[in-house]
Every structure is written in structure tokens, then in C-alpha cells.
Amino acid sequence: IVLFEKSPAAFHAYPDIWYHFFRQKSDTGLELELLQKYLFIPLDIFTKNRQNRNIRSKRDAWLTLFSSDDPETVMELIEAYPEFKEIYEEGYEICRNMEKVMGLFSKELYLLDRNTEKLMFDEMQKESEELRIKSEEMRQENEKVRQENEEMRQENEEMRQENEEMRQENEEMRQENEEMRQENEEMRQENEEMRQENEEMRQENEKVRQKNEMMQQENVKMHQEHEQMQKENQKMHQEHEQMQKENQKMHQESEKIQKENKAMHQENQKIHQENEKLRREMENQYHQSFINMVAILRSVGLSDEDIVSRLCAQYQLNETQAKEYL
């Protein structure tokens, strides 16, 4: 339950409403009883609306107690709900002990600073955990890419070895063809009669040549495939460079988060200053309570001399100090 003495501008868009209830809701329709529920009550809007009507309910009585110290309003509240008289009497007794009042405010300010610090720590811890998880995911992705690159390198090495074996086989066949040509030439020179046989050998050589051409075509095809593999390797290298750029971007985002954390620390110091200002305002309200008490005593018919005498007796003031509140 959050009470606003001076509510933010967003609440003034609803000038006739001073109860705003918030709670968490699932996007799937699942119903769970959660602790995170909030009731925001802008007391300044309630006060503006209460000026045009009387205290109608016990809830209005409690909000009046929290928001107003006007003597006439206090008398109206006590007349409507006499049980609140004991609360005002207890507040009156507390105001008589200045040291106790300051102790209460110091404790509340300490709790407020502690809760603010805990909230900031939880948020920073959550952001750190999210960054750690994201960094782990990026590391796993990089490891996966590295393994894929290693597999591609091994495949390229195997293809290179196969190409080398094919080249050696082609070289052996070329040498064999050359030897056969020399033998054919010798056979032609030695014996013309063996021309027909040489012709047959020529036809066989033609077949071998055709086979060689086919092998050459296959080599060309293998060469093209090898070039394609080189292009794919180049593409993988570009993707790896892109991953490095993304990692650098993640590092820049981490530095940005550190700057934001520093800004949050400065905001916390600002909140501490505002709390100190609130403490001074509470001291001013303490003096205002003397003025309100004088108004209440006058409203019950006491003379100024009786009021001065009672102030001096209850708050240990001298007569000059007491007369300052008349």
C-alpha cells in the first residue's frame, strides 16, 4: 500500500479516483496467487474531493487522518468517529517527546535507504545474470562454428589428397601412353607388314585417348568443385569476421550497462538528498503541530493565558516561546 502526499502527474488524469489497484497477470490466462499486488492512494486528490463532501465512511475517516491536520477537519472526524480520538491523543503524547519523534523518523529513513539499496542490488544482479547467460550462448555458438570450420578443413584436405592421387594417376597414364607411342613407332619402322597390327594399336590408342579426355573432363569438374569449396571457405571466413564484430558490439553494450549502473548510483545519492530534505520538512511539520494544537485548544474554549501555561508545562517552553505560537 503506497500513500502519496503529493502524487505524480499521471494520477491527476483521474481527478475523481484515489484508489488504484495493480497486480500481475499471465498472458496465457493461468491464475496464481502472487505477492506482487499494489494499492496506490494519492492523498492530495482525496483531499481535493473531500472539500466538497463530508466524511462518509470509515475508509474516508482513515484517509482524513493521514492527509489532514486542519483543526476543523479533526473535530469533524472525532465527532463522526469518536474512536479516532485516542489516536490523536497518542499523537499528541508522542509530539511531547521530541527525541522519540526524531528516532521514529530516523528509523523510517534508514529502512527506506536500505530497501532502495536492496532493490538496486537485485536489479544489477539480474542484469549481470542475463549478460552471463547471453555470453555463454555466444561462446557455445562460436564453439559450434569452430567445429564446423574444422570439419570443413578436414574435408578440404581429403579432397586435396584425392585430387593429388588423380593427378598422379593421370601422369602415369600419360607416361604409359608415351611408351606405347614409342613402341608403335619402332614397330612401324621395323616391319611394315605389321602396319595392320599397328593400325589396330592406333585404334586402341584412340580409345585410350578418349578415356584420357574423359579423365581430363573429370579433372576439370573436380577443379570446379574445388573452387566452389574455396568460395564456401571464404564465405565461412566472412561469417567468422561478422561474429567477431558482434562480440565487439556485445562488449560495447556491456560498457553501456556499466555507465547506466553509475547513473543509478548517482540517482541513489539524489534520493538520499531528498530524504534529508524530507527530514527537514518533518521538523517544520513538528512546529506546525504546535500551531495546530493551539488552534484545537482555542476551539475547546481555553484562553490565551491557559494555552501559554499548558504549552510551557507540557513542552518545557518559556512564556516568550509559547506566545510565538499564538
Side-chain angles (χ1 to χ4, degrees), residues 201-236:
M201 291 295 293
R202 186 188 65 78
Q203 293 176 357
E204 290 180 0
N205 286 333
E206 181 66 21
K207 291 179 180 180
V208 172
R209 186 186 64 79
Q210 292 177 356
K211 289 182 180 179
N212 286 334
E213 289 179 355
M214 292 176 64
M215 292 297 294
Q216 288 177 352
Q217 292 176 357
E218 290 180 358
N219 287 334
V220 171
K221 184 177 180 181
M222 292 295 293
H223 180 71
Q224 292 175 349
E225 291 178 354
H226 181 69
E227 290 180 349
Q228 181 67 25
M229 291 298 295
Q230 287 180 338
K231 291 180 182 179
E232 291 179 357
N233 286 335
Q234 185 178 5
K235 182 178 179 181
M236 290 296 295

Side-chain angles (χ1 to χ4, degrees), residues 180-195 197-198 201:
M180 290 179 69
R181 188 186 64 79
Q182 291 177 359
E183 290 177 357
N184 290 331
E185 181 64 21
E186 289 175 357
M187 289 176 71
R188 186 186 64 80
Q189 292 174 359
E190 289 176 355
N191 193 358
E192 185 64 24
E193 293 178 355
M194 295 182 71
R195 182 183 61 82
E197 295 179 0
N198 286 334
M201 291 295 293

Side-chain angles (χ1 to χ4, degrees), residues 13 28 31 39 46-47 51 62 68 70 72 74 80 85 110 155 177 188-189 201 211 224 232 241 266 282 292:
T28 61
E31 295 290 339
L39 178 61
F46 167 76
T47 302
Q51 293 176 356
W62 279 106
S68 179
D70 179 64
E72 294 181 0
V74 172
K85 182 177 180 181
Y110 170 76
E155 291 179 359
N177 289 332
R188 186 186 64 80
Q189 292 174 359
M201 291 295 293
K211 289 182 180 179
Q224 292 175 349
E232 291 179 357
E241 291 180 349
Q266 294 175 353
M282 294 303 297
N292 295 337

